[in-house]
């Protein structure tokens, strides 16, 4: 017989177990090589008390960036946003970190590969992109004051910047070449 004072604890524990469905995830080791439409995604969080965050996507071959402002990291909001972005851009594969917001990843229709815990080097491109966004929005900056138009302007600026990795072409040019050849 369970004591009544522990009953609440067991209910909460079972609820958390049901939510935590990342145990059957695919790690980045299992990912096939040379995927053309592979994307990395990650969050850039705001200050400590602000729940607003930036949700960034990067195409691995062309370094084309896309950023969306979210009010919070709830699973429903993240799920809806990812489905919209998958339809908008030709996403065939996603690489991300282990976040509880990606519980409903099987409904997205694309394979989602996870990095190993505490191995941010496995998704190095999105980490560099987040660093570029931090130039415009430092750590103590409140993202709830930033409109989506301003975020789009910064993303356009970053996408029109030539990169040595792309032979001094812009990510927009390389991405448009990919669109023409597919």
């Amino acid at each position: 017989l369970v004591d009544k004072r522990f009953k609440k604890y067991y209910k909460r524990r079972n609820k958390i177990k049901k939510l935590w469905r990342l145990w059957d995830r695919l790690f980045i080791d299992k990912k096939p090589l040379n995927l053309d439409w592979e994307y990395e995604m990650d969050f850039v969080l705001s200050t400590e008390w602000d729940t607003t965050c930036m949700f960034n996507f990067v195409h691995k071959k062309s370094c084309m960036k896309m950023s969306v402002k979210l009010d919070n990291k709830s699973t429903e909001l993240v799920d809806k946003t990812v489905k919209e972005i998958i339809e908008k851009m030709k996403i065939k594969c996603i690489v991300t970190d282990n976040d509880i917001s990606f519980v409903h990843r099987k409904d997205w229709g694309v394979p989602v590969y996870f990095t190993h815990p505490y191995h941010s080097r496995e998704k190095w491109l999105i980490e560099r992109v987040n660093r570029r966004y931090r130039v415009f929005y430092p750590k103590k900056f409140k993202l709830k004051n930033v409109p989506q138009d301003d975020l789009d302007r910064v993303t356009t600026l970053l996408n029109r910047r030539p990169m040595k990795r792309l032979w001094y072409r812009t990510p927009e040019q390389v991405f448009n070449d990919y669109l023409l050849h597919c």
Side-chain angles (χ1 to χ4, degrees):
L1 216 50
V2 177
D3 195 6
K4 286 187 179 183
R5 60 187 166 168
F6 295 114
K7 197 171 187 179
K8 188 176 181 182
Y9 167 75
Y10 283 115
K11 281 184 181 179
R12 188 179 72 216
R13 187 171 151 212
N14 290 335
K15 185 178 179 184
I16 290 172
K17 275 186 181 179
K18 287 178 186 175
L19 283 176
W20 187 254
R21 303 278 172 139
L22 294 177
W23 53 269
D24 60 342
R25 61 188 177 240
L26 292 172
F27 282 110
I28 201 166
D29 304 339
K30 307 283 190 262
K31 181 177 67 74
L33 300 174
N34 298 331
L35 293 172
D36 283 339
W37 295 102
E38 179 182 351
Y39 282 79
E40 290 184 3
M41 69 180 182
D42 197 13
F43 292 105
V44 174
L45 301 176
S46 189
T47 59
E48 193 173 319
W49 300 106
D50 188 13
T51 59
T52 311
C53 62
M54 264 193 308
F55 197 27
N56 294 335
F57 288 81
V58 180
H59 182 240
K60 279 194 95 158
K61 299 258 180 172
S62 67
C63 298
M64 183 73 168
K65 301 149 196 73
M66 182 175 181
S67 186
V68 179
K69 180 182 151 189
L70 299 178
D71 294 331
N72 55 21
K73 280 180 28 174
S74 68
T75 56
E76 296 85 17
L77 186 60
V78 169
D79 193 34
K80 180 181 156 218
T81 306
V82 169
K83 285 180 182 177
E84 288 174 4
I85 291 175
I86 285 173
E87 290 176 13
K88 184 177 179 183
M89 307 175 96
K90 293 182 178 181
I91 296 182
K92 299 282 193 238
C93 173
I94 297 175
V95 175
T96 187
D97 54 358
N98 301 299
D99 200 317
I100 193 67
S101 302
F102 307 132
V103 172
H104 304 294
R105 68 191 178 282
K106 293 188 178 179
D107 301 335
W108 296 348
V110 296
V112 179
Y113 296 98
F114 291 91
T115 59
H116 292 93
Y118 307 107
H119 285 79
S120 61
R121 64 182 175 268
E122 292 177 349
K123 56 182 187 72
W124 59 273
L125 184 60
I126 192 69
E127 296 297 335
R128 286 183 145 198
V129 167
N130 290 346
R131 198 177 318 149
R132 299 281 188 256
Y133 277 107
R134 285 289 185 195
V135 170
F136 297 98
Y137 308 113
K139 284 250 186 201
K140 300 289 182 180
F141 196 81
K142 291 186 179 178
L143 288 172
K144 70 178 176 184
N145 300 334
V146 177
Q148 181 66 38
D149 295 339
D150 190 29
L151 196 59
D152 291 341
R153 234 178 276 121
V154 170
T155 304
T156 305
L157 181 75
L158 291 175
N159 283 333
R160 291 184 179 166
R161 178 189 236 172
M163 297 177 69
K164 184 178 179 180
R165 178 175 182 253
L166 302 174
W167 297 91
Y168 298 101
R169 295 188 308 171
T170 65
E172 276 184 351
Q173 291 171 340
V174 177
F175 188 75
N176 289 333
D177 288 345
Y178 271 117
L179 287 177
L180 288 176
H181 296 298
C182 287

